[in-house]
């Protein structure tokens, strides 16, 4: 009975890893690391954020120029004059110019987000530039402090180094001392010679 139970247990234990291997093989067959993943279909269209940002900046720059104001003014004037002076069969937007109002509202509704997006991109660039300038200023301050400490150390070291004037003054003092000692020895020798001569004369007299 134990053998049967052991056999069943072993059979179950062996069946488990095999099933796991089959699942692993299935997963490996579905997810290959040496091949790119298949792109999933999305309901929302994909776009390049960088390209869209550049387009928004171009539109924002154009909307902020005098050329855009002149062109828009000319279009509005032509629109109003045409729908007032043209024959009724050719008028497409009579007074109170509802279609023109809708067009201007649509243009404003698209222009505002594009301008905000361009401003956000400019703010991001300004923040990166400020961060870069801050780091550069920190490096400049650190370099300046290092150079200041080095210059102070050089000054302290130069204060302990013998200069040309100091060596010259020391040599002059040594020469003066030697001259004085030499003069002193000469005076002592002369005095000793005179004393010896006096003693010799006294001996002769005696």
């Amino acid at each position: 009975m134990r053998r049967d139970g052991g056999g069943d247990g072993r059979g179950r234990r062996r069946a488990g890893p095999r099933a796991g291997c089959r699942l692993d093989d299935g997963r490996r067959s579905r997810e290959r690391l040496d091949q790119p993943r298949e792109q999933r279909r999305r309901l929302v269209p994909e776009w390049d954020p960088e390209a869209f940002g550049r387009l928004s900046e171009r539109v924002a720059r154009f909307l902020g120029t005098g050329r855009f104001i002149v062109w828009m003014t000319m279009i509005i004037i032509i629109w109003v004059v045409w729908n007032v002076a043209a024959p009724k069969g050719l008028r497409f937007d009579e007074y109170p110019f509802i279609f023109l109002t809708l067009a201007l509202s649509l243009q404003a509704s698209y222009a505002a987000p594009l301008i905000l997006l361009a401003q956000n991109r400019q703010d991001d660039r300004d923040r990166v530039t400020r961060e870069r300038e801050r780091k550069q200023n920190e490096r400049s301050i650190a370099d300046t402090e290092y150079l200041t400490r080095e210059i102070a150390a050089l000054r302290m070291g130069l204060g302990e180094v013998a200069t040309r004037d100091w060596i010259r003054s020391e040599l002059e003092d040594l020469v003066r001392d030697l001259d004085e000692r030499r003069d002193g020895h000469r005076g002592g020798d002369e005095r000793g010679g005179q004393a010896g001569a006096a003693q010799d004369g006294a001996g002769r007299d005696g």
Side-chain angles (χ1 to χ4, degrees):
M1 294 299 290
R2 291 181 181 177
R3 292 180 179 177
D4 295 336
D8 294 336
R10 290 178 183 177
R12 290 177 183 177
R13 291 177 183 175
R14 291 178 181 176
R18 288 180 180 176
C21 291
R22 291 177 182 175
L23 292 175
D24 293 339
D25 293 338
R27 290 177 182 176
R28 289 177 183 176
S29 62
R30 281 181 290 177
E31 296 181 1
R32 295 285 299 274
L33 297 177
D34 59 343
Q35 295 179 0
R37 289 185 177 180
E38 296 181 357
Q39 295 182 356
R40 297 180 180 178
R41 295 181 180 179
R42 296 181 180 180
L43 298 177
V44 180
E46 296 181 359
W47 65 86
D48 187 6
E50 190 66 23
F52 189 74
R54 290 194 296 268
L55 178 61
S56 65
E57 288 181 348
R58 291 178 182 176
V59 173
R61 289 193 184 97
F62 178 70
L63 293 177
T65 58
R67 183 182 299 175
F68 171 74
I69 296 174
V70 170
W71 279 104
M72 190 174 67
T73 304
M74 291 176 62
I75 290 171
I76 292 172
I77 291 172
I78 294 171
W79 188 299
V80 172
V81 171
W82 179 267
N83 289 285
V84 170
K88 290 185 178 181
L90 298 176
R91 297 177 188 176
F92 56 89
D93 187 21
E94 296 183 354
Y95 184 82
F97 311 113
I98 297 174
F99 186 49
L100 177 61
T101 305
L102 291 175
L104 294 176
S105 300
L106 183 63
Q107 182 266 332
S109 64
Y110 274 97
L114 290 174
I115 292 172
L116 290 175
L117 181 59
Q119 289 179 353
N120 292 333
R121 285 173 58 84
Q122 185 64 36
D123 292 338
D124 293 338
R125 282 196 296 269
D126 293 339
R127 184 173 63 255
V128 172
T129 303
R130 287 194 300 269
E131 185 68 20
R132 190 180 302 168
E133 290 177 352
R134 185 182 64 80
K135 291 181 180 179
Q136 186 175 0
N137 291 331
E138 290 179 355
R139 288 195 297 268
S140 300
I141 292 170
D143 294 339
T144 304
E145 291 178 353
Y146 174 76
L147 292 175
T148 303
R149 289 193 297 268
E150 290 294 323
I151 291 171
L154 288 174
R155 287 181 178 177
M156 294 175 64
L158 288 174
E160 298 177 356
V161 174
T163 59
R164 184 183 298 175
D165 296 334
W166 183 80
I167 294 173
R168 184 179 297 172
S169 63
E170 291 293 325
L171 290 175
E172 289 177 355
D173 293 338
L174 289 174
V175 171
R176 192 179 299 110
D177 292 338
L178 291 174
D179 291 338
E180 290 178 356
R181 290 179 182 179
R182 187 176 58 187
D183 294 338
H185 286 299
R186 286 180 181 178
D189 293 339
E190 290 178 357
R191 291 175 184 175
Q194 291 177 1
Q199 290 179 359
D200 292 338
R204 290 175 184 177
D205 294 336

